[in-house]
């Protein structure tokens, strides 16, 4: 019996939970070499260490327990190489995905930190904005219901490729529509990240928001508070005698899902303007 190990010893030596070893026994993946008929205690041998190490290695690679069982029951070099090649491709794709996710996190975190320090509120300003790419969907939007339906439609049209997140969604409105009693937006757009990987199938749906000078205004609140700031921005444009060359756009940058504090909620209205003449 000295050459055998209890389930507790086996678990400790392999940095595992005893419950895991019991489960492996139940599913016939890794069974003890001996079970005491009187008390049901499980015992393992030193010769089984390599098998358990192999199981743990395959788990690390990414195989499911069922796939590991198949590998143990049908052992051959060609099959093992094929399995490793398959999971090599899977894990490379995961690494690529993680790099992409990290990039989007870094971009969003950088933007939020910048906005946290932003203090030019409620007053129009001229701002240079680099070129951006967007996905666009024409839809009349007058309410939250319309907005959400438009968003779901946009996601459906891209096979749910895009991830709806505050700060990446914008609405478009013309000066004429601003005069309506109820603000009516005529389209919705989704701002693509610098490295957003849109399938070739949807490239025709991508539009470009030109780089250049924009008249912008940042304010606390969201769509419900927007009308006042549209008017403020229009008066500023008239006063400065600059020429809009596109529609007005609004994006909610920080809302109640990021912060419960209304004093931290933030939106921006912007409109591209013609380059000012050089004096």
């Amino acid at each position: 019996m000295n050459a055998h190990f209890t389930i507790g010893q086996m678990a400790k030596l392999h940095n595992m939970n005893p419950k895991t070893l019991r489960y492996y026994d139940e599913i016939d993946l890794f069974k003890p070499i001996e079970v005491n008929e009187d008390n049901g205690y499980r015992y393992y041998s030193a010769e089984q260490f390599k098998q358990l190490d192999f199981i743990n290695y395959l788990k690390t690679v990414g195989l499911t327990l069922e796939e590991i069982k198949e590998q143990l029951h049908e052992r051959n070099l060609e099959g093992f190489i094929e399995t490793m090649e398959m999971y090599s491709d899977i894990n490379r794709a995961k690494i690529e995905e993680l790099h992409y996710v990290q990039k989007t996190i870094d971009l969003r975190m950088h933007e939020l930190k910048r906005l946290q320090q932003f203090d030019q509120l409620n007053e129009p300003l001229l701002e240079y904005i680099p070129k951006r790419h967007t996905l666009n969907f024409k839809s009349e939007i007058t309410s939250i219901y319309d907005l959400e339906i438009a968003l779901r439609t946009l996601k459906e049209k891209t096979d749910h490729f895009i991830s709806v997140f505050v700060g990446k969604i914008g609405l478009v409105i013309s000066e004429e529509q601003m005069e309506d009693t109820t603000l009516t937006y005529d389209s919705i757009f989704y701002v693509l990240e610098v490295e957003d990987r849109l399938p070739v199938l949807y490239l025709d749906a991508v539009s470009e928001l030109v780089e250049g000078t924009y008249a912008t205004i940042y304010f606390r609140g969201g769509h419900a508070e927007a009308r006042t700031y549209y008017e403020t921005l229009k008066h500023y444009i008239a006063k400065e005698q600059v020429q809009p060359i596109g529609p007005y756009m609004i994006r909610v940058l920080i809302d109640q899902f990021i912060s419960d504090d209304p004093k931290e909620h933030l939106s921006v209205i912007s409109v591209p303007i013609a380059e000012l003449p050089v004096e």
Side-chain angles (χ1 to χ4, degrees), residues 169-183:
I169 305 299
L171 297 176
V172 176
I173 191 171
S174 66
E175 284 198 42
E176 293 76 16
Q177 290 169 315
M178 291 180 202
E179 305 301 327
D180 296 341
T181 304
T182 301
L183 290 178

Side-chain angles (χ1 to χ4, degrees), residues 111-142:
E111 181 182 33
L112 289 173
K113 286 183 176 180
R114 178 182 69 84
L115 294 174
Q116 188 178 35
Q117 305 300 322
F118 195 84
D119 58 3
Q120 292 180 270
L121 300 176
N122 306 328
E123 293 295 331
L125 64 141
L126 296 180
E127 182 178 28
Y128 170 80
I129 297 179
K131 180 172 64 177
R132 296 162 296 170
H133 291 92
T134 63
L135 282 175
N136 302 278
F137 177 61
K138 295 287 286 186
S139 179
E140 187 175 281
I141 299 170
T142 60

Side-chain angles (χ1 to χ4, degrees), residues 255-274:
D255 65 6
Q256 70 271 21
F257 294 105
I258 292 180
S259 174
D260 287 329
D261 187 355
K263 294 180 181 178
E264 293 183 327
H265 297 175
L266 189 66
S267 295
V268 60
I269 297 171
S270 60
V271 58
I273 61 171

Side-chain angles (χ1 to χ4, degrees), residues 126-274:
L126 296 180
E127 182 178 28
Y128 170 80
I129 297 179
K131 180 172 64 177
R132 296 162 296 170
H133 291 92
T134 63
L135 282 175
N136 302 278
F137 177 61
K138 295 287 286 186
S139 179
E140 187 175 281
I141 299 170
T142 60
S143 65
I144 292 295
Y145 173 84
D146 294 337
L147 173 59
E148 291 302 328
I149 294 300
L151 278 174
R152 301 317 123 186
T153 304
L154 184 58
K155 282 179 66 69
E156 185 177 359
K157 284 181 175 292
T158 59
D159 290 334
H160 298 272
F161 175 82
I162 65 173
S163 175
V164 174
F165 188 73
V166 63
K168 299 187 73 173
I169 305 299
L171 297 176
V172 176
I173 191 171
S174 66
E175 284 198 42
E176 293 76 16
Q177 290 169 315
M178 291 180 202
E179 305 301 327
D180 296 341
T181 304
T182 301
L183 290 178
T184 302
Y185 299 91
D186 62 22
S187 64
I188 186 172
F189 64 88
Y190 174 87
V191 179
L192 294 165
E193 301 286 5
V194 174
E195 295 183 6
D196 262 328
R197 303 154 303 163
L198 194 67
V200 175
L201 177 64
Y202 308 117
L203 291 182
D204 290 343
V206 176
S207 297
E208 183 179 296
L209 292 178
V210 296
E211 67 176 319
T213 303
Y214 284 68
T216 63
I217 186 167
Y218 292 80
F219 63 94
R220 298 297 181 196
H223 298 295
E225 295 77 25
R227 183 180 290 277
T228 297
Y229 298 99
Y230 280 122
E231 294 299 324
T232 301
L233 192 57
K234 283 173 58 180
H235 291 156
Y236 170 80
I237 288 171
K239 177 183 176 183
E240 296 297 320
Q241 297 183 330
V242 293
Q243 179 63 44
I245 55 174
Y248 287 71
M249 295 166 284
I250 181 171
R251 282 198 298 150
V252 177
L253 304 173
I254 300 173
D255 65 6
Q256 70 271 21
F257 294 105
I258 292 180
S259 174
D260 287 329
D261 187 355
K263 294 180 181 178
E264 293 183 327
H265 297 175
L266 189 66
S267 295
V268 60
I269 297 171
S270 60
V271 58
I273 61 171

